[in-house]
Structures are given as structure tokens and as C-alpha cells.
Amino acid sequence: DVKVTQSSRYLVKRTGEKVFLECVQDMDHENMFWYRQDPGLGLRLIYFSYDVKMKEKGDIPEGYSVSREKKERFSLILESASTNQTSMYLCASSSITGGTDTQYFGPGTRLTVL
Amino acid sequence: SQQGEEDPQALSIQEGENATMNCSYKTSINNLQWYRQNSGRGLVHLILIRSNEREKHSGRLRVTLDTSKKSSSLLITASRAADTASYFCATDEGYQKVTFGTGTKLQVIP
């Protein structure tokens, strides 16, 4: 079974702090994604990566950056956390083979910025 | 980007009843997927239907797709309390990216 893990389930940070959210997948998937989920807004794509060192902006990249130095790991960085970045962050991965784009999700990180 | 819109936003039914939720989208798709999310957890893939398919079954799940109306429905038959969750449709936009809707929150009352 595909396993996607995220470094923390819950995280509390202060405004202005630099925040790192880590995601690791164990199925050699090429694609990895970061979403944020807010009530009433569903999942919104922040960034995705289709290969090592490659990244593409999603729908809401402002205030975020990403890093993918290894195939299995995709990091989301909040350079200077703000209260409006309080949210649930979900990481996912998918394979380009099979042509279905089924995504496998981690358990999520609930980030609170005070 | 296009986004699926689920309807209703929330649904409450008794255990044993059927639950139907709908998804509408805006442009042509390669496939449409349904995901489930238990409270505070990640999403889990349930079923995929391709654009050239009209209906698909998986256990107690039945998915239909009407590409002329740009809509899909998910039917859960004989619901159980354990089916309580949020359900999302996701449309394939190509380039290995899918777009998720806002979800239907289903409550199954024992």
C-alpha cells in the first residue's frame, strides 16, 4: 500500500516564524502536491512537483515556497507565517503511470499561527 | 481553474437509507474521481470513472457520469454509521493535476 506521511499532525507557530512542513511518500511516485483545506473552500492547490527539483505553482502559491531535493520528499515552507495561514495542510502523491492521476494523501497537518 | 461543485453541502440520513450526492463541473474532463475524508484526516480514493463510461460500481458505491450535463453522482446504498464523512469529487485537468470540489458532508445517524 502507498504510504504518505507528514511530519506533524498538529503544529502551533507564531506570526513571523519560518515553518517547514515535510511530506514523504514510499511508492516512488513522480508527482507530489501540497493543498490547504479550509471550511467552505474545499482543497486548494498550493504547489505541485512532477519531478525532483521541479515545481509548479498551484492556485494559491502566495506566501509559500516548496522544495523537492529527493523524489520521495516534498517540503512546504512558510517563509514568514501569518495568521491567515492557519489551516489544514494536506500532502498527496500520484504516479504518472496508469493514466488515472489517483492521489494518495497523508493524514494532514493542522497548523495554527498565533 | 475549474472546480467541481458538490450538492448538497450537507446531508443527514438514517442508517440503512441511501445517500446521493452530486458533482457538477465546467469543462471537458479525462476522468472524475470521488474521495472520502473522515473528520480531521487525509482523503482516501474511492472510485474513478472515465469520460467514456456512464456508470461504475464498487461494493455499495455507484457512480454515474453525464458528460453532456457535466455532472456526476455518487450513490451510497444501505448506509452505515461508518460512512459518516465528507465526500469530494475531483476532476482530471491533465498534466497530472486534479481539482477538488468543496465537498458534501454526510452524517449517517445510527
Side-chain angles (χ1 to χ4, degrees):
Chain A
D1 283 348
V2 176
K3 191 168 182 184
V4 180
T5 57
Q6 295 184 228
S7 50
S8 305
R9 288 299 315 279
Y10 300 94
L11 205 54
V12 179
K13 295 292 181 180
R14 298 210 174 270
T15 301
E17 281 193 79
K18 191 169 186 176
V19 182
F20 293 87
L21 302 182
E22 300 281 330
C23 175
V24 178
Q25 51 95 2
D26 67 357
M27 281 302 291
D28 203 36
H29 282 174
E30 296 82 6
N31 305 318
M32 296 188 76
F33 307 83
W34 274 107
Y35 297 90
R36 65 176 282 176
Q37 183 178 23
D38 302 286
L41 297 177
L43 274 73
R44 292 181 291 167
L45 182 64
I46 304 171
Y47 269 96
F48 68 101
S49 168
Y50 51 88
D51 201 353
V52 175
K53 297 191 186 295
M54 304 301 288
K55 60 185 178 184
E56 292 283 340
K57 291 180 180 179
D59 300 318
I60 51 164
E62 296 78 19
Y64 304 94
S65 62
V66 290
S67 172
R68 192 161 181 207
E69 296 297 318
K70 293 184 178 181
K71 192 175 185 181
E72 68 270 19
R73 188 179 298 267
F74 193 34
S75 301
L76 180 69
I77 303 152
L78 288 66
E79 293 290 341
S80 178
S82 63
T83 55
N84 62 13
Q85 292 178 309
T86 291
S87 186
M88 169 72 105
Y89 290 87
L90 293 165
C91 174
S93 71
S94 71
S95 173
I96 62 173
T97 60
T100 63
D101 301 326
T102 295
Q103 296 194 6
Y104 297 86
F105 282 81
T109 295
R110 188 166 294 281
L111 172 67
T112 301
V113 182
L114 301 175
Chain B
S1 60
Q2 74 168 11
Q3 184 177 49
E5 294 288 334
E6 283 94 339
D7 170 59
Q9 291 187 355
L11 180 61
S12 183
I13 60 174
Q14 296 289 327
E15 199 166 30
E17 293 181 339
N18 295 342
T20 300
M21 50 206 90
N22 305 294
C23 170
S24 60
Y25 56 93
K26 295 175 184 163
T27 64
S28 297
I29 59 172
N30 295 329
N31 62 63
L32 185 144
Q33 304 176 49
W34 285 90
Y35 288 78
R36 164 196 169 124
Q37 182 182 36
N38 288 85
S39 181
R41 310 293 294 186
L43 279 70
V44 175
H45 180 257
L46 292 177
I47 194 166
L48 176 149
I49 186 165
R50 298 186 188 279
S51 60
N52 61 354
E53 297 175 311
R54 291 296 167 259
E55 188 170 312
K56 202 159 183 183
H57 296 253
S58 176
R60 293 184 295 113
L61 305 180
R62 183 175 78 109
V63 171
T64 61
L65 180 65
D66 186 336
T67 52
S68 66
K69 294 181 179 178
K70 293 185 172 56
S71 67
S72 173
S73 67
L74 172 67
L75 169 68
I76 303 173
T77 60
S79 63
R80 305 166 181 167
D83 294 327
T84 294
S86 291
Y87 293 82
F88 295 84
C89 67
T91 50
D92 176 5
E93 297 184 9
Y95 304 102
Q96 294 93 49
K97 188 163 81 81
V98 298
T99 301
F100 290 83
T102 52
T104 291
K105 195 167 186 177
L106 172 65
Q107 181 184 25
V108 181
I109 303 166

mmCIF file of all heavy atoms in Angstrom, chain A residues 16-38:
data_model
loop_
_atom_site.group_PDB
_atom_site.id
_atom_site.type_symbol
_atom_site.label_atom_id
_atom_site.label_comp_id
_atom_site.label_asym_id
_atom_site.label_seq_id
_atom_site.Cartn_x
_atom_site.Cartn_y
_atom_site.Cartn_z
ATOM 1 N N GLY A 16 5.334 35.379 11.897
ATOM 2 C CA GLY A 16 6.680 35.746 11.517
ATOM 3 C C GLY A 16 7.676 34.601 11.542
ATOM 4 O O GLY A 16 8.783 34.735 10.993
ATOM 5 N N GLU A 17 7.317 33.500 12.148
ATOM 6 C CA GLU A 17 8.227 32.351 12.177
ATOM 7 C C GLU A 17 8.311 31.699 10.809
ATOM 8 O O GLU A 17 7.370 31.739 10.012
ATOM 9 C CB GLU A 17 7.732 31.304 13.189
ATOM 10 C CG GLU A 17 8.049 31.618 14.626
ATOM 11 C CD GLU A 17 7.809 30.405 15.515
ATOM 12 O OE1 GLU A 17 8.669 29.501 15.550
ATOM 13 O OE2 GLU A 17 6.754 30.362 16.179
ATOM 14 N N LYS A 18 9.430 31.052 10.540
ATOM 15 C CA LYS A 18 9.584 30.235 9.340
ATOM 16 C C LYS A 18 9.123 28.824 9.686
ATOM 17 O O LYS A 18 9.529 28.263 10.703
ATOM 18 C CB LYS A 18 11.044 30.232 8.892
ATOM 19 C CG LYS A 18 11.265 29.632 7.513
ATOM 20 C CD LYS A 18 12.681 29.917 7.021
ATOM 21 C CE LYS A 18 12.878 29.457 5.587
ATOM 22 N NZ LYS A 18 14.216 29.822 5.056
ATOM 23 N N VAL A 19 8.270 28.284 8.840
ATOM 24 C CA VAL A 19 7.652 26.991 9.128
ATOM 25 C C VAL A 19 7.961 26.011 8.005
ATOM 26 O O VAL A 19 7.852 26.351 6.817
ATOM 27 C CB VAL A 19 6.122 27.130 9.276
ATOM 28 C CG1 VAL A 19 5.494 25.781 9.632
ATOM 29 C CG2 VAL A 19 5.771 28.167 10.344
ATOM 30 N N PHE A 20 8.351 24.816 8.382
ATOM 31 C CA PHE A 20 8.619 23.752 7.415
ATOM 32 C C PHE A 20 7.622 22.625 7.638
ATOM 33 O O PHE A 20 7.504 22.098 8.747
ATOM 34 C CB PHE A 20 10.035 23.186 7.597
ATOM 35 C CG PHE A 20 11.126 24.140 7.253
ATOM 36 C CD1 PHE A 20 11.613 25.034 8.193
ATOM 37 C CD2 PHE A 20 11.682 24.150 5.974
ATOM 38 C CE1 PHE A 20 12.634 25.915 7.867
ATOM 39 C CE2 PHE A 20 12.698 25.030 5.650
ATOM 40 C CZ PHE A 20 13.175 25.913 6.599
ATOM 41 N N LEU A 21 6.927 22.234 6.587
ATOM 42 C CA LEU A 21 6.068 21.058 6.628
ATOM 43 C C LEU A 21 6.667 20.027 5.682
ATOM 44 O O LEU A 21 6.918 20.322 4.514
ATOM 45 C CB LEU A 21 4.636 21.401 6.198
ATOM 46 C CG LEU A 21 3.919 22.493 7.012
ATOM 47 C CD1 LEU A 21 2.505 22.679 6.487
ATOM 48 C CD2 LEU A 21 3.896 22.155 8.477
ATOM 49 N N GLU A 22 6.896 18.835 6.225
ATOM 50 C CA GLU A 22 7.564 17.796 5.453
ATOM 51 C C GLU A 22 6.581 16.708 5.049
ATOM 52 O O GLU A 22 5.687 16.338 5.815
ATOM 53 C CB GLU A 22 8.669 17.159 6.293
ATOM 54 C CG GLU A 22 9.745 18.120 6.761
ATOM 55 C CD GLU A 22 10.746 18.433 5.663
ATOM 56 O OE1 GLU A 22 10.975 17.560 4.807
ATOM 57 O OE2 GLU A 22 11.282 19.545 5.659
ATOM 58 N N CYS A 23 6.791 16.173 3.874
ATOM 59 C CA CYS A 23 5.954 15.087 3.370
ATOM 60 C C CYS A 23 6.860 14.053 2.710
ATOM 61 O O CYS A 23 7.743 14.412 1.920
ATOM 62 C CB CYS A 23 4.956 15.634 2.351
ATOM 63 S SG CYS A 23 3.955 14.377 1.536
ATOM 64 N N VAL A 24 6.627 12.797 3.036
ATOM 65 C CA VAL A 24 7.415 11.704 2.459
ATOM 66 C C VAL A 24 6.474 10.626 1.937
ATOM 67 O O VAL A 24 5.536 10.243 2.625
ATOM 68 C CB VAL A 24 8.372 11.099 3.517
ATOM 69 C CG1 VAL A 24 9.155 9.931 2.915
ATOM 70 C CG2 VAL A 24 9.326 12.148 4.048
ATOM 71 N N GLN A 25 6.751 10.149 0.718
ATOM 72 C CA GLN A 25 5.983 9.026 0.178
ATOM 73 C C GLN A 25 6.936 7.888 -0.170
ATOM 74 O O GLN A 25 8.089 8.118 -0.521
ATOM 75 C CB GLN A 25 5.164 9.464 -1.053
ATOM 76 C CG GLN A 25 5.949 10.203 -2.121
ATOM 77 C CD GLN A 25 6.470 9.370 -3.248
ATOM 78 O OE1 GLN A 25 6.244 8.166 -3.342
ATOM 79 N NE2 GLN A 25 7.200 10.015 -4.162
ATOM 80 N N ASP A 26 6.392 6.657 -0.072
ATOM 81 C CA ASP A 26 7.262 5.490 -0.205
ATOM 82 C C ASP A 26 6.979 4.664 -1.452
ATOM 83 O O ASP A 26 7.386 3.504 -1.541
ATOM 84 C CB ASP A 26 7.151 4.617 1.054
ATOM 85 C CG ASP A 26 5.778 3.975 1.221
ATOM 86 O OD1 ASP A 26 4.877 4.250 0.387
ATOM 87 O OD2 ASP A 26 5.586 3.212 2.179
ATOM 88 N N MET A 27 6.267 5.246 -2.426
ATOM 89 C CA MET A 27 5.900 4.457 -3.607
ATOM 90 C C MET A 27 6.576 4.933 -4.886
ATOM 91 O O MET A 27 6.119 4.628 -5.970
ATOM 92 C CB MET A 27 4.379 4.479 -3.788
ATOM 93 C CG MET A 27 3.659 3.514 -2.866
ATOM 94 S SD MET A 27 4.200 1.798 -3.093
ATOM 95 C CE MET A 27 3.531 1.452 -4.709
ATOM 96 N N ASP A 28 7.633 5.701 -4.751
ATOM 97 C CA ASP A 28 8.387 6.125 -5.933
ATOM 98 C C ASP A 28 7.520 6.927 -6.904
ATOM 99 O O ASP A 28 7.711 6.869 -8.121
ATOM 100 C CB ASP A 28 8.993 4.900 -6.641
ATOM 101 C CG ASP A 28 10.194 5.272 -7.492
ATOM 102 O OD1 ASP A 28 10.970 6.160 -7.084
ATOM 103 O OD2 ASP A 28 10.355 4.687 -8.589
ATOM 104 N N HIS A 29 6.562 7.662 -6.377
ATOM 105 C CA HIS A 29 5.683 8.466 -7.228
ATOM 106 C C HIS A 29 6.421 9.679 -7.762
ATOM 107 O O HIS A 29 7.211 10.314 -7.059
ATOM 108 C CB HIS A 29 4.458 8.929 -6.442
ATOM 109 C CG HIS A 29 3.443 7.856 -6.275
ATOM 110 N ND1 HIS A 29 2.318 8.018 -5.485
ATOM 111 C CD2 HIS A 29 3.348 6.609 -6.805
ATOM 112 C CE1 HIS A 29 1.587 6.925 -5.546
ATOM 113 N NE2 HIS A 29 2.195 6.053 -6.330
ATOM 114 N N GLU A 30 6.120 10.017 -8.999
ATOM 115 C CA GLU A 30 6.764 11.179 -9.606
ATOM 116 C C GLU A 30 6.139 12.495 -9.118
ATOM 117 O O GLU A 30 6.824 13.492 -8.954
ATOM 118 C CB GLU A 30 6.626 11.110 -11.137
ATOM 119 C CG GLU A 30 7.334 9.936 -11.786
ATOM 120 C CD GLU A 30 6.513 8.652 -11.732
ATOM 121 O OE1 GLU A 30 5.343 8.676 -11.293
ATOM 122 O OE2 GLU A 30 7.062 7.599 -12.116
ATOM 123 N N ASN A 31 4.825 12.479 -8.927
ATOM 124 C CA ASN A 31 4.117 13.717 -8.627
ATOM 125 C C ASN A 31 3.849 13.861 -7.139
ATOM 126 O O ASN A 31 3.451 12.898 -6.469
ATOM 127 C CB ASN A 31 2.769 13.743 -9.352
ATOM 128 C CG ASN A 31 2.918 13.538 -10.838
ATOM 129 O OD1 ASN A 31 3.816 14.084 -11.462
ATOM 130 N ND2 ASN A 31 2.028 12.736 -11.407
ATOM 131 N N MET A 32 4.025 15.066 -6.646
ATOM 132 C CA MET A 32 3.662 15.352 -5.263
ATOM 133 C C MET A 32 2.976 16.711 -5.205
ATOM 134 O O MET A 32 3.260 17.594 -6.030
ATOM 135 C CB MET A 32 4.884 15.310 -4.346
ATOM 136 C CG MET A 32 5.504 13.910 -4.281
ATOM 137 S SD MET A 32 6.794 13.730 -3.050
ATOM 138 C CE MET A 32 5.822 13.645 -1.523
ATOM 139 N N PHE A 33 2.086 16.854 -4.226
ATOM 140 C CA PHE A 33 1.213 18.019 -4.162
ATOM 141 C C PHE A 33 1.113 18.533 -2.727
ATOM 142 O O PHE A 33 1.124 17.746 -1.783
ATOM 143 C CB PHE A 33 -0.210 17.644 -4.621
ATOM 144 C CG PHE A 33 -0.272 16.968 -5.958
ATOM 145 C CD1 PHE A 33 -0.046 15.597 -6.076
ATOM 146 C CD2 PHE A 33 -0.565 17.688 -7.098
ATOM 147 C CE1 PHE A 33 -0.101 14.970 -7.306
ATOM 148 C CE2 PHE A 33 -0.623 17.064 -8.332
ATOM 149 C CZ PHE A 33 -0.395 15.700 -8.437
ATOM 150 N N TRP A 34 0.908 19.828 -2.602
ATOM 151 C CA TRP A 34 0.535 20.424 -1.324
ATOM 152 C C TRP A 34 -0.774 21.183 -1.501
ATOM 153 O O TRP A 34 -0.901 22.014 -2.404
ATOM 154 C CB TRP A 34 1.596 21.386 -0.804
ATOM 155 C CG TRP A 34 2.682 20.719 -0.025
ATOM 156 C CD1 TRP A 34 3.961 20.499 -0.405
ATOM 157 C CD2 TRP A 34 2.581 20.194 1.305
ATOM 158 N NE1 TRP A 34 4.661 19.860 0.582
ATOM 159 C CE2 TRP A 34 3.840 19.665 1.645
ATOM 160 C CE3 TRP A 34 1.546 20.115 2.245
ATOM 161 C CZ2 TRP A 34 4.092 19.066 2.883
ATOM 162 C CZ3 TRP A 34 1.788 19.524 3.463
ATOM 163 C CH2 TRP A 34 3.057 19.016 3.775
ATOM 164 N N TYR A 35 -1.737 20.886 -0.611
ATOM 165 C CA TYR A 35 -3.024 21.569 -0.580
ATOM 166 C C TYR A 35 -3.228 22.194 0.796
ATOM 167 O O TYR A 35 -2.689 21.732 1.785
ATOM 168 C CB TYR A 35 -4.180 20.577 -0.775
ATOM 169 C CG TYR A 35 -4.215 19.861 -2.095
ATOM 170 C CD1 TYR A 35 -3.560 18.639 -2.263
ATOM 171 C CD2 TYR A 35 -4.941 20.362 -3.165
ATOM 172 C CE1 TYR A 35 -3.618 17.952 -3.468
ATOM 173 C CE2 TYR A 35 -5.001 19.691 -4.380
ATOM 174 C CZ TYR A 35 -4.335 18.479 -4.508
ATOM 175 O OH TYR A 35 -4.398 17.809 -5.709
ATOM 176 N N ARG A 36 -4.072 23.206 0.816
ATOM 177 C CA ARG A 36 -4.601 23.629 2.092
ATOM 178 C C ARG A 36 -6.117 23.478 2.031
ATOM 179 O O ARG A 36 -6.736 23.609 0.960
ATOM 180 C CB ARG A 36 -4.195 25.036 2.479
ATOM 181 C CG ARG A 36 -4.693 26.159 1.638
ATOM 182 C CD ARG A 36 -4.286 27.518 2.215
ATOM 183 N NE ARG A 36 -5.128 27.921 3.343
ATOM 184 C CZ ARG A 36 -4.933 29.016 4.064
ATOM 185 N NH1 ARG A 36 -3.919 29.835 3.777
ATOM 186 N NH2 ARG A 36 -5.732 29.332 5.067
ATOM 187 N N GLN A 37 -6.683 23.159 3.183
ATOM 188 C CA GLN A 37 -8.112 22.907 3.254
ATOM 189 C C GLN A 37 -8.722 23.791 4.325
ATOM 190 O O GLN A 37 -8.307 23.762 5.483
ATOM 191 C CB GLN A 37 -8.392 21.436 3.585
ATOM 192 C CG GLN A 37 -9.865 21.094 3.592
ATOM 193 C CD GLN A 37 -10.121 19.627 3.869
ATOM 194 O OE1 GLN A 37 -9.288 18.944 4.459
ATOM 195 N NE2 GLN A 37 -11.262 19.132 3.444
ATOM 196 N N ASP A 38 -9.691 24.582 3.918
ATOM 197 C CA ASP A 38 -10.386 25.478 4.820
ATOM 198 C C ASP A 38 -11.885 25.255 4.706
ATOM 199 O O ASP A 38 -12.387 24.940 3.613
ATOM 200 C CB ASP A 38 -10.048 26.935 4.483
ATOM 201 C CG ASP A 38 -8.565 27.212 4.564
ATOM 202 O OD1 ASP A 38 -8.067 27.288 5.702
ATOM 203 O OD2 ASP A 38 -7.903 27.329 3.517
#
